[in-house]
Amino acid sequence: MAADPITAGRPAQWTPVTATFTDAEIARGLADGDERCLTAAYHRWGKLVHTLALRSLGDAREAEDVTQQVFLAAWQGAHGYRPERGALAGWLVGIGRRKIADALSARTRRTELVAAAAALLGPADDPRGRPEAAVLDRVLVRHELAGLPAPQRQVLHLAFYEDLTQTQIAQRTGWPLGTVKSHCRRGLRQLRRCLPARVDG
């Protein structure tokens, strides 16, 4: 896994202290806002959550994003944990499953948006249909791309015209994968709003 995003910058002596906490102490500490207990929870169950996310998503960066979301959600919602309903590890796994489901749903939405935009773009040498209509579609798409904010335009250009995946775009630009996904999603939504009106007009 990547460098610990929760304990980064924390004093080195925290790890031995937090390692002695019991599960019950971690749960109480989380509810009381004790950051040491968040650190302890991450050290104790972070690998479990990350492994679950990686197996479900098949993408290391997405799994890291989900893992961080899980522990952030646990930190923010620790008051909702009820020990009588199950172990803290099970509660964290439950949060993890919900975050994984959210990530998969977001992936599906992004795929649908990309497919819709790609259908509008169409291959330049597509012999099907009316050539003049295909040319018009490509001109309209390029026009709308030019009107997007620079980050969204760059991400969509790399995706459509250089055929890069979102992970490759993140590597090319140096942006976090979540930022790339956000720019892609916003840009595609803008295209979907504008292009049908342009084509109909």
Side-chain angles (χ1 to χ4, degrees):
M1 291 177 60
D4 189 332
I6 292 181
T7 60
R10 299 297 185 194
Q13 65 268 23
W14 276 36
T15 300
V17 173
T18 58
T20 65
F21 288 166
T22 66
D23 293 2
E25 288 172 336
I26 292 174
R28 285 196 301 271
L30 285 175
D32 292 339
D34 187 340
E35 290 187 18
R36 294 176 304 168
C37 291
L38 176 61
T39 302
Y42 185 83
H43 275 297
R44 192 163 300 177
W45 297 296
K47 185 176 181 179
L48 170 66
V49 173
H50 182 269
T51 299
L52 178 66
L54 183 59
R55 287 176 179 172
S56 300
L57 298 170
D59 184 286
R61 291 198 183 190
E62 276 192 298
E64 290 173 5
D65 288 345
V66 165
T67 301
Q68 293 183 29
Q69 291 172 24
V70 168
F71 285 92
L72 177 60
W75 174 249
Q76 295 173 334
H79 58 278
Y81 170 63
R82 297 291 181 269
E84 64 273 13
R85 296 180 182 176
L88 184 59
W91 182 65
L92 290 170
V93 167
I95 296 175
R97 294 189 186 281
R98 291 194 294 275
K99 295 299 181 182
I100 290 167
D102 290 344
L104 289 171
S105 295
R107 180 187 290 179
T108 299
R109 290 194 299 272
R110 288 193 303 272
T111 300
E112 291 172 349
L113 287 170
V114 169
L120 287 170
L121 278 168
D125 56 353
D126 189 351
R128 297 170 298 177
R130 295 180 301 148
E132 67 274 14
V135 171
L136 177 60
D137 284 348
R138 290 195 296 275
V139 169
L140 289 173
V141 169
R142 289 188 175 91
H143 175 79
E144 294 302 335
L145 278 175
L148 294 177
Q152 297 175 19
R153 183 172 65 250
Q154 182 178 1
V155 166
L156 293 182
H157 177 86
L158 291 172
F160 291 137
Y161 297 109
E162 298 192 29
D163 198 28
L164 298 184
T165 66
Q166 291 180 334
T167 298
Q168 291 170 330
I169 293 172
Q171 294 170 346
R172 171 80 66 87
T173 60
W175 295 334
L177 182 60
T179 299
V180 171
K181 292 176 179 178
S182 178
H183 287 321
C184 183
R185 182 172 60 251
R186 291 172 183 168
L188 287 171
R189 283 177 178 169
Q190 182 65 24
L191 287 180
R192 290 190 74 180
R193 284 196 295 268
C194 296
L195 285 171
R198 292 268 185 178
V199 173
D200 291 343

